[in-house]
Amino acid sequence: MKISGLTFIRNGISLGYPFIEAIRSILPVVDELVVVVGDSDDGTREAVEAINDARIRIIDSVWHPGIRPKASVLAQQTNLGLMHCTGDWVVYVQGNELFHQRDLPRLRELMEIHVDNDEVEGLLIERLVFYGDYRNFVRVYPDRHKYVVRAFKPWRGVYAITSAMTFAAFDSWGLHGRSLRCVDSGIDMFRYGKILSPEAMRYKLRHAPHKLKGDEVQFEADSYYNWLPRQHVRPYAGDHPAVMAERIAAHGLQLDIGHPGWRNVLTRKERMRLVESAWYRRFGLPRMRPGRYKLVGDFVRKDRSAEA
């Protein structure tokens, strides 16, 4: 069994993304790692080169401004890299996503179990999104209880779709895509896109193709206290991937979970998310809930007592 790793990045240093750590987080489980590096002007390509691992293959690319909708460039870049993957499985991470080293043996085990099982085409990973700093996470859907395909068999006409948050299979390489048949791995995907410095967050909001809020958008450290309501955030008691240790130590922003200025008035949608997520914590995600995958078997039940 051969395993390919896949990621893409452009101006990752300006974005403040842990893209180097993301690459390092999957290196122990892959036989090759395809990194699509867009036309960057901040040293991103040089940072990837400096990893100096023979398994890494850099694919240089240009993000064409004519792609519409603009967020679809993320899928286009993912598919560009996918064409260079040669493994029986592809393990995919975006520039702000990491696997924990403790989960890699289970990830490999599931790929070995299902490599010849035609009924299983991918593995589901649950999002674990950190907020403001590394001590707090978002406990409500879709930052929690959201399952994404992050390992899949590429030889079934599989392509990234929309903004590359998930994948679809085009049977016989035809016109109509369908959701991949997936088993739940029980593994969390550590996501760090909501703990950026104010400078990096402003850059992201102004320049990332799935944001593009305009040059006038502002974001300061205190903006975290207004972005999400206090009720959506909980302290995190676990550990982080070992490759994040240096970045965590250097992170200057620390949110005060008891800050009196933290917004606690919820919108109607935020109240609904709170109630919805409480149901999921107690009873699990319903099988009938729409998702861009077809679940094979059941969701793995987790201890969610710390998320209540």
Side-chain angles (χ1 to χ4, degrees), residues 109-181:
E109 179 186 29
L110 286 170
M111 289 188 284
E112 290 174 344
I113 290 171
H114 295 293
V115 65
D116 294 318
N117 180 2
D118 289 338
E119 296 304 310
V120 174
E121 299 168 316
L123 304 179
L124 297 179
I125 314 293
E126 185 182 357
R127 291 165 54 153
L128 175 60
V129 178
F130 292 87
Y131 185 74
D133 58 32
Y134 296 91
R135 304 178 305 170
N136 299 292
F137 72 100
V138 186
R139 65 171 180 147
V140 300
Y141 185 92
D143 288 323
R144 197 67 172 136
H145 312 286
K146 177 79 170 183
Y147 295 81
V148 292
V149 180
R150 285 297 180 266
F152 58 91
K153 300 172 182 175
W155 305 111
R156 309 295 179 90
V158 176
Y159 290 97
I161 58 175
T162 63
S163 60
M165 190 51 68
T166 191
F167 297 82
F170 293 79
D171 291 321
S172 300
W173 306 85
L175 294 175
H176 303 291
R178 61 168 176 80
S179 298
L180 273 64
R181 298 185 295 270

Side-chain angles (χ1 to χ4, degrees), residues 24-26 36 46 63 88 120 124 139 158 165 172 178 229 241 253 263 275 277 284 294 303:
R24 292 190 182 280
S25 80
I26 61 172
V36 181
E46 291 78 7
W63 290 29
D88 301 294
V120 174
L124 297 179
R139 65 171 180 147
V158 176
M165 190 51 68
S172 300
R178 61 168 176 80
L253 179 63
R263 178 168 66 89
V275 173
S277 300
K294 182 177 180 181
D303 179 8

Side-chain angles (χ1 to χ4, degrees), residues 32-53:
E32 64 175 3
L33 207 167
V34 175
V35 183
V36 181
V37 180
D39 43 334
S40 303
D41 56 14
D42 63 351
T44 291
R45 192 187 196 285
E46 291 78 7
V48 176
E49 287 180 323
I51 298 175
N52 194 28
D53 191 296

